Amino acid sequence: MNQTWLCGRFELSLERPLLMGIVNITPDSFSDGNAHYRTDLALAHAKKLIADGADILDIGGESTRPGAEPVSIEEELRRVLPIIEGLRDTNIPLSVDTFKPAVMRAVLDAGADIINDVAGFRSEEALAAVQGRGCGVCVMHMQGEPKTMQQAPQYDNVLEEVQRFLMHQVQRLRTAGLRPEQIMLDPGLGFGKTVEQNYQLLRSLPQLLQEGYPALIGLSRKSMIGHVVNRPPMERVAGSLAGMLAAVRYGASVLRVHDVAASADALRVWTAVETGVIDERT
């Protein structure tokens, strides 16, 4: 498996799991509502995530929760660009969670290092937006679109179909000139899958990794956790940590999380158990 992720200004080692802290600048995020909707609040939250141990920040200006309504390109950029500008000098890789090619181009011009596309770079315009830019990319599988994806997910074989889609998109990115080290895969837990299918994909992660591309897993506070623990999103931290460590156990390289401090603690203990390396806080 690739041991580095080439991301614009950064070459990230994947020898240990990396934490991607979530920065939502949306009024309708499923987990934190509009808690960081203002630019100043979003920047303060992002800097706290860095202090808590985030290795990467993932900035989103459009909610992709089930049932979410789309926003315009102009509105998404109005939310996201000031955050990129405010964080460019933090020496932390900046990822932008978007599926709009125009937004991809604008945020890369502004200094973003990674494009995290929930649509998996299906459009030719999205491929063109990252071609020749040297950015990292995360290719996610989603059945349908955010507004309707959870209404009735249907698969003959969820693992085979997700794997086939991801490998097809990898080939398209490679044909467009991206290097293997730029590419990260995401099976898209919660994006057009039933709860059972989400857990099946998590258990099957080693099969998704067979082609040598690393995986990002995002299950923090999602309904797949809520269905098991029967708690609202803000009370799903313990369940999210358990899912995160399971993802690490099955080979995930990047964990997209809301609760960075708790996740960092859990990973330190995990590392101490697995390797005997004690990473003490200073």
Side-chain angles (χ1 to χ4, degrees):
M1 187 175 71
N2 293 340
Q3 290 301 308
T4 57
W5 192 15
L6 300 182
C7 304
R9 300 170 293 166
F10 300 88
E11 183 173 334
L12 302 177
S13 171
L14 301 177
E15 291 183 0
R16 66 168 179 85
L18 302 180
L19 292 176
M20 175 183 272
I22 298 168
V23 183
N24 288 322
I25 319 106
T26 59
D28 57 347
S29 168
F30 83 93
S31 66
D32 46 17
N34 63 357
H36 314 119
Y37 187 41
R38 282 181 9 210
T39 297
D40 58 339
L41 295 177
L43 285 171
H45 177 62
K47 291 173 182 177
K48 181 180 185 303
L49 295 181
I50 295 170
D52 287 343
D55 300 293
I56 306 164
L57 294 177
D58 192 43
I59 303 160
E62 178 174 10
S63 175
T64 52
R65 64 177 174 78
E69 295 288 342
V71 302
S72 68
I73 292 169
E74 293 74 19
E75 175 61 17
E76 189 173 348
L77 288 173
R78 185 192 68 77
R79 297 174 184 181
V80 169
L81 287 177
I83 308 304
I84 296 172
E85 291 162 5
L87 297 172
R88 267 190 311 225
D89 297 329
T90 56
N91 200 36
I92 290 287
L94 303 178
S95 168
V96 175
D97 182 348
T98 186
F99 56 86
K100 296 187 178 74
V103 174
M104 295 178 190
R105 291 191 295 271
V107 299
L108 289 171
D109 289 342
D113 303 288
I114 299 164
I115 298 297
N116 182 11
D117 183 1
V118 298
F121 298 93
R122 281 180 285 188
S123 75
E124 293 295 333
E125 293 83 2
L127 286 174
V130 298
Q131 191 171 21
R133 301 300 293 260
C135 59
V137 298
C138 184
V139 184
M140 198 193 83
H141 176 275
M142 172 175 59
Q143 187 178 87
E145 58 185 25
K147 188 173 181 179
T148 60
M149 63 188 179
Q150 288 304 109
Q151 290 180 3
Q154 295 288 330
Y155 299 88
D156 292 326
N157 184 310
V158 66
L159 174 60
E160 288 182 4
E161 291 176 45
V162 169
Q163 188 172 36
R164 188 182 312 122
F165 170 83
L166 293 175
M167 289 303 102
H168 178 69
Q169 296 310 105
V170 164
Q171 186 56 52
R172 294 180 70 225
L173 286 161
R174 297 282 289 112
T175 300
L178 275 77
R179 297 172 59 182
E181 295 84 3
Q182 291 175 257
I183 301 171
M184 181 75 58
L185 305 181
D186 181 350
L189 303 183
F191 284 80
K193 286 96 177 172
T194 65
V195 173
E196 292 78 9
Q197 288 166 348
N198 287 323
Y199 283 103
Q200 179 186 349
L201 285 169
L202 188 56
R203 290 193 304 275
S204 302
L205 192 57
Q207 291 166 258
L208 290 174
L209 299 175
Q210 286 177 346
E211 298 296 328
Y213 291 91
L216 179 153
I217 293 294
L219 50 69
S220 178
R221 301 186 188 175
K222 286 185 175 177
S223 60
M224 65 179 286
I225 305 296
H227 276 280
V228 175
V229 301
N230 194 29
R231 295 183 185 278
M234 294 297 288
E235 296 177 18
R236 296 174 186 169
V237 178
S240 296
L241 294 178
M244 179 194 73
L245 293 178
V248 173
R249 169 67 180 80
Y250 286 120
S253 294
V254 179
L255 296 313
R256 187 177 182 273
V257 302
H258 296 87
D259 305 287
V260 169
S263 298
D265 284 352
L267 280 176
R268 284 188 178 93
V269 174
W270 172 270
T271 300
V273 172
E274 290 291 301
T275 70
V277 176
I278 310 300
D279 180 13
E280 296 181 5
R281 290 192 173 190
T282 56

